[in-house]
Each structure stands twice: as C-alpha cells, then as structure tokens.
Amino acid sequence: MTSLPLVFDAPKRGLPPRHLADLSAEQRRDAVAELGEKPFRANQLSNHYFGRLTADPATMTDIPAASRDRLTSELMPPLFTELRRVSCDEGTTRKTLLRAHDGTLIESVLMRYPDRATLCISSQAGCGMACPFCATGQGGLQRNLSTAEIVEQVRLGAVAMRDGELPGGPGRLSNIVFMGMGEPLANYRRVIDAVHRICDPAPNGLGISQRSVTVSTVGLVPAIRKMTEEKLSVRLAVSLHTPDDELRDTLVPVNTRWKVAEVLESARGYADRTGRRVSIEYALIKEINDHGWRADLLGSLLRRHLGQLAHVNLIPLNPTPGSKWDASPKPVEREFARRVEAQGVTCTVRDTRGQEIAAACGQLAAEG
C-alpha cells in the first residue's frame, strides 16, 4: 500500500512571494503601510485586482506612478505563465496549462453552458492521495498552491468570461469547483482562505456566491469536521467511488485511515450544519465498481447516513493514455443510476466534456 502524506499543510517549499490575494483586508493595509504608503492604497489595489480583475499597473491611474510600481511589484508579483491552451466542445470548454514561478505545472478548466460558466481549479501541484485511476494522483504531490495561486486561477477565468474569450460573447463566471489537481482539504488553510477571497464582495474578494462554490475531498474526515465549523455555505463533494471498504482501500487509499461510514458521517455533520446537500462523486470504472450490487449498497448507505441530503454524481471515467481503467458502457451506467435512485437517492450523470483535450486533471501537465 502506498504511504500517504496525510497532513493538512505540506511544507512551504516553492511557494511564491507574498501576494495581495494571500492577505486579509487588514493584512493588506498593514503590508501597504510597511512599504511607506498610506493604508488606503490597499483598498485601491484591492479594487483593481478583485473589482476590475486587473494586475496591470498601467491601468491603475488613481495611484501615483511611483507608488503604483512599487506596490504592484511588492504585492502583485506575477504568479503564472500560460504555457498552453486547448479547447473543444466548439470552444465552450477550455483547458489551460499554467507554469508557476518555480516551474511547477497546474491546470484549470473553464466550461461555458447556456445558463452558467463553471471553472474547475487546482489546489495543489500534483496530489498525494495516490488514487490509481487518476492522472494527478499517479504523478505524486509536488507542493501546495498558495492562496493567491488558487485565487489567480479564478481571476483569470473571470477575465476570460468578461472579455468574451469563449463562444457566446461576454459573460460572467458563476461557478467554481475545487476539482482540479490536488486534494483541497490537504491544503486546508489556504483553500479556506481562497474561498473567502473568491466569495467576499469587492474590494475584499471576487464576489462569487459561496453557494456556487464546491469543495471536493476524497474523505479527510478531520478536515471535513473542521470545515463544518467554518460557517461556510459552499457545497461539499465527497469522491467516494465505491461504497465498500474493501475496494475503496485500493481505489482511494486514504480509506485505509478513514472508512466509508466515518466519511459519510462527517459529511452528514457538514450537511446538517449548512443545510446543503452533499455531492457524492462516483467515477464509473468498467468491471471495477459498476456492479449492480454496488449501486444497491451505495443507495442504501446514503439513505441511511445522509437521506435527502445526498446527491450522487456519476462520472463517466475519462481514461488516461495507457491506463488499464476504462469507462463503463452506457447501458451499465444507466442501470447503475436506476438502482441508486430505486433506493430513494437522487442520481445524475455528469456531462462529459473535454475528453479530446485530456480534460481529466493532470493529463495536460503530465504531457508538459
């Protein structure tokens, strides 16, 4: 069994320099004052970054040029270089490969639908959870992302929507899912801080509703319990992938530490506190976890532990090149969903987007 770095915070190796988005409103004022500027400059900077979505000092004409250059160089250091951008679904799905200051690669995926625009973001470079069917998990964990690196992905996605870079003309980024590279709750503090920067109204944040943000986890029970006390209203998604401990020990190795029942009970605590349904993520893998009896067991477990506060999101597996894992056939997928719903649990199949652009997280980074 692969050993797992089950910590909430990895060492700060490779984190970028301090950025405005790493800091609370009070910390921004202090940082500006330390640079010899009036504290109100922090509010001006924040208005530009969070309100106007710009990090370009040339556009910040309300700040004197000498102060502007110093403030932006100290508090808005460049975080990413865009290396590659690939699109599919007639341009409505776009995956971006970004290189951080230390050379690490991360990905984000922007998906435009008729009624919304969703951005899937990364919380770590790589992942230490070692799930064998996941491209990111097979690459291992390189490092946590900083709060600002997480937020910057969202700002860039918001700019793309504002500027009409995807078909359909200018629009608004509406939904954020922490389902890119990494295990969000293994980078706990920075992810929670990023949620506040993403959701707080300008000038303190990007103003996206917490109810439109989903934070996923493979089931780090202490972190789920900790998040329950944060007084958030984001949706929790649990990547379960099988209802039985024997198989889950292999598919999601963290299960050797926190079993299915304990994960579901911690999820119930979050649902009770927030009043929000928990999304149960289930990647259907051909002849591995798609059996009818597993659908029955999944439905009965969720009915018992979560009741009406569970929603199963079946995910047709997006196989990685050379992988032994494959997606379940459509008739098997439909029967699985039917049997879950027969237990009184709602179940839908995720829209399959981006298969031709290596949209499974980690694939583009693995290609470089």
Side-chain angles (χ1 to χ4, degrees):
M1 184 66 64
T2 306
S3 62
L4 297 172
L6 297 176
V7 293
F8 293 161
D9 258 339
K12 295 183 179 179
R13 182 185 71 251
L15 286 176
R18 175 183 66 173
H19 188 281
L20 184 84
D22 290 314
L23 308 176
S24 68
E26 183 178 356
Q27 289 170 332
R28 289 174 214 158
R29 289 191 292 271
D30 290 344
V32 166
E34 288 169 8
L35 295 172
E37 298 287 345
K38 299 291 186 183
F40 75 86
R41 297 288 183 208
N43 199 56
Q44 291 177 304
L45 286 175
S46 299
N47 266 317
H48 286 292
Y49 184 82
F50 292 109
R52 299 174 185 169
L53 305 177
T54 183
D56 180 4
T59 66
M60 303 178 189
T61 53
D62 56 334
I63 303 174
S67 298
R68 181 194 319 162
D69 292 340
R70 185 180 184 204
L71 287 170
T72 54
S73 65
E74 291 286 339
L75 293 174
M76 289 185 185
L79 295 173
F80 295 122
T81 301
E82 184 178 306
L83 291 185
R84 191 176 171 196
R85 182 186 293 179
V86 290
S87 298
C88 69
D89 302 316
E90 299 180 334
T92 59
T93 299
R94 187 176 81 180
K95 186 167 190 174
T96 304
L97 180 66
L98 302 169
R99 183 176 62 202
H101 75 291
D102 59 352
T104 54
L105 303 178
I106 70 156
E107 304 169 5
S108 66
V109 182
L110 180 60
M111 296 161 283
R112 186 168 196 171
Y113 300 88
D115 61 340
R116 68 191 187 280
T118 298
L119 182 70
C120 180
I121 60 174
S122 297
S123 55
Q124 296 179 309
C127 183
M129 297 296 105
C131 301
F133 58 90
C134 172
T136 305
Q138 291 312 291
L141 176 65
Q142 297 174 56
R143 68 169 173 86
N144 285 329
L145 298 188
S146 70
T147 297
E149 287 175 315
I150 297 169
V151 175
E152 178 72 355
Q153 294 171 69
V154 180
R155 186 188 71 86
L156 293 173
V159 167
M161 285 303 301
R162 180 198 65 191
D163 294 349
E165 294 180 11
L166 273 64
R172 181 178 178 273
L173 182 62
S174 57
N175 295 72
I176 306 298
V177 292
F178 281 80
M179 294 182 179
M181 297 172 70
E183 160 56 51
L185 296 190
N187 188 15
Y188 182 85
R189 189 68 258 159
R190 296 185 190 94
V191 164
I192 298 300
D193 287 347
V195 167
H196 287 293
R197 307 291 183 273
I198 292 165
C199 300
D200 288 350
N204 293 321
L206 294 166
I208 295 172
S209 169
Q210 283 195 23
R211 297 186 67 82
S212 299
V213 174
T214 299
V215 176
S216 69
T217 178
V218 294
L220 302 189
V221 168
I224 295 172
R225 291 174 177 158
K226 189 175 181 181
M227 193 169 82
T228 301
E229 304 304 318
E230 295 280 354
K231 298 181 179 178
L232 300 174
S233 57
V234 300
R235 170 166 287 182
L236 174 67
V238 175
S239 298
L240 199 67
H241 303 313
T242 189
D244 55 307
D245 286 319
E246 183 178 6
L247 179 58
R248 197 167 192 267
D249 285 351
T250 300
L251 291 184
V252 187
V254 74
N255 198 72
T256 60
R257 188 153 178 184
W258 296 294
K259 298 300 185 182
V260 170
E262 193 175 2
V263 171
L264 294 180
E265 279 304 301
S266 65
R268 177 59 188 251
Y270 184 83
D272 285 342
R273 176 61 67 91
T274 61
R276 303 214 60 191
R277 288 198 302 177
V278 175
S279 181
I280 302 297
E281 309 295 301
Y282 198 108
L284 276 174
I285 309 172
K286 182 180 179 182
E287 297 176 358
I288 299 294
N289 67 348
D290 60 357
H291 311 94
W293 69 266
R294 283 195 162 94
D296 297 340
L297 178 59
L298 176 65
S300 64
L301 276 175
L302 294 178
R303 188 180 68 243
R304 181 164 73 249
H305 288 281
L306 284 160
Q308 296 301 307
L309 292 171
H311 173 265
V312 175
N313 188 19
L314 295 181
I315 307 166
L317 185 73
N318 193 349
T320 58
S323 172
K324 67 177 182 178
W325 313 94
D326 202 357
S328 300
K330 288 299 177 183
V332 173
E333 178 185 284
R334 288 192 291 269
E335 175 64 5
F336 195 97
R338 186 194 69 78
R339 292 176 76 148
V340 170
E341 291 196 319
Q343 297 285 340
V345 177
T346 59
C347 181
T348 55
V349 179
R350 179 185 290 178
D351 178 35
T352 53
R353 282 203 173 203
Q355 290 182 316
E356 62 265 48
I357 58 168
C361 291
Q363 288 183 235
L364 201 58
E367 295 170 9

